[in-house]
Amino acid sequence: MDILVQVVLPISLAVIMFSLGLGLQLADFTRVLTRKKAFLAGALCQVVLLPITAFCLALAFGLTGELAAGVMLLSFCPSGTTSNVLTRLARGDVALSVSLTALISLLSFVTIPVLAGLSVRYFMGEAAPEFSVFALALVMFALVVVPVLLGLGLRSLAQGLVARIEGLMMRLSMALFAIIVVAAIASNWALFVENLARLGPATASLVVITLGLGLLVGTLLRLDAAERATITIEAGIQNSTLAISTAPLIVGLGVGLPEMALPAAIHGVLMYTFALPLVALLRSRAGRVAHG
């Protein structure tokens, strides 16, 4: 398991973030200047409402220690490339989805270390592991920001090559995600069984509530149907791989994945359980409007 934590996880995360970068272009970063309301709506859901919801649910379900900190760590993570795919399937605003994913992902190397440090100290108290926020930020910069920028750079320099490998990289990313989720659950199997009665409903509630909040915010701000679909999906889909990969960096690179990674692993399964039916509904509604 030490090979998984020290080698496989960092490489997998870098590959996934590189895959994200392959789908980006400079316009995805400048688009926020012309789509301010829609972008701010998505950022509000991901950066503010999601952590607040996670904190309330951790308290409501009686989660403590590493498990509660793990729920919070998950809530600090941006959406991943999956949200872009689901947005396309839901006939949402893919350009807006990509912009949200890109910018919030790039900022996460600052926001996650700071907020995770606060959460760990709050929920774990004296048992909280000692870690350097600055050192964690540097590692996350190397594993998150650098691969994204490399993917972005490759796309701008060799569009033909990217067109040939982008689909392969997406499939590889999904396979790595599945492996990481299974590994996180398997390495904490006894803890998983013991806490499933609380973690299952807590993470399921997080998915359902954040999807609902995304739809509510989009409606209150009178965004169009495609933008509402995008904000809804971006609010409910988190980069579970990033949370699972970050947990060992906080707790320490011991043998196996820490229990702090378990909430993200469970969430990684449940978010599709609830998101896919919603995507089908949004797609159906968009189809009816288009043919109406």
Side-chain angles (χ1 to χ4, degrees):
M1 278 293 184
D2 54 339
I3 295 178
L4 170 69
V5 173
Q6 298 179 26
V7 179
V8 177
L9 267 182
I11 292 177
S12 298
L13 178 60
V15 169
I16 291 171
M17 299 313 295
F18 177 73
S19 176
L20 170 62
L22 289 178
L24 300 179
Q25 48 190 338
L26 291 178
D28 297 321
F29 298 94
T30 59
R31 189 177 294 113
V32 298
L33 299 176
T34 57
R35 306 285 299 280
K36 294 178 182 178
K37 185 166 75 169
F39 180 83
L40 289 176
L44 171 67
C45 290
Q46 285 196 356
V47 180
V48 179
L49 298 183
L50 175 57
I52 291 176
T53 303
F55 181 79
C56 293
L57 288 174
L59 296 180
F61 283 93
L63 299 178
T64 57
E66 276 195 53
L67 293 180
V71 172
M72 294 307 301
L73 175 60
L74 170 67
S75 73
F76 303 142
C77 292
S79 59
T81 54
T82 306
S83 67
N84 307 150
V85 176
L86 293 178
T87 297
R88 181 176 287 107
L89 292 175
R91 295 179 178 171
D93 191 324
V94 178
L96 174 62
S97 174
V98 171
S99 295
L100 282 165
T101 301
L103 284 171
I104 296 178
S105 293
L106 291 181
L107 291 175
S108 65
F109 86 97
V110 174
T111 58
I112 290 179
V114 173
L115 295 175
L118 295 173
S119 298
V120 165
R121 284 193 290 271
Y122 180 85
F123 283 107
M124 298 184 68
E126 295 182 357
E130 292 291 334
F131 73 95
S132 168
V133 170
F134 180 72
L136 178 59
L138 287 179
V139 173
M140 292 194 64
F141 181 83
L143 294 177
V144 175
V145 178
V146 171
V148 169
L149 295 179
L150 288 175
L152 174 64
L154 182 60
R155 182 182 182 90
S156 63
L157 295 174
Q159 293 187 12
L161 173 62
V162 170
R164 292 194 297 271
I165 68 172
E166 191 171 5
L168 173 62
M169 292 301 299
M170 175 64 71
R171 291 191 293 272
L172 177 59
S173 297
M174 295 301 296
L176 290 172
F177 166 74
I179 292 171
I180 290 171
V181 168
V182 170
I185 294 176
S187 63
N188 291 281
W189 182 253
L191 192 68
F192 168 74
V193 174
E194 179 183 348
N195 291 276
L196 184 59
R198 287 185 301 163
L199 272 179
T203 51
S205 298
L206 182 62
V207 177
V208 173
I209 292 173
T210 51
L211 287 171
L213 285 173
L215 183 59
L216 177 63
V217 169
T219 302
L220 291 177
L221 292 179
R222 297 181 179 180
L223 302 180
D224 62 39
E227 291 172 334
R228 287 200 305 272
T230 302
I231 301 305
T232 301
I233 294 169
E234 289 289 320
I237 300 297
Q238 275 68 59
N239 190 339
S240 300
T241 306
L242 180 55
I244 295 171
S245 302
T246 305
L249 300 176
I250 295 174
V251 177
L253 298 177
V255 178
L257 287 166
E259 61 182 89
M260 190 181 291
L262 191 54
I266 297 174
H267 183 275
V269 176
L270 292 179
M271 68 180 179
Y272 294 110
T273 304
F274 294 100
L276 289 176
L278 179 60
V279 166
L281 177 62
L282 292 171
R283 182 180 178 85
S284 175
R285 287 185 175 180
R288 288 199 297 269
V289 171
H291 293 90

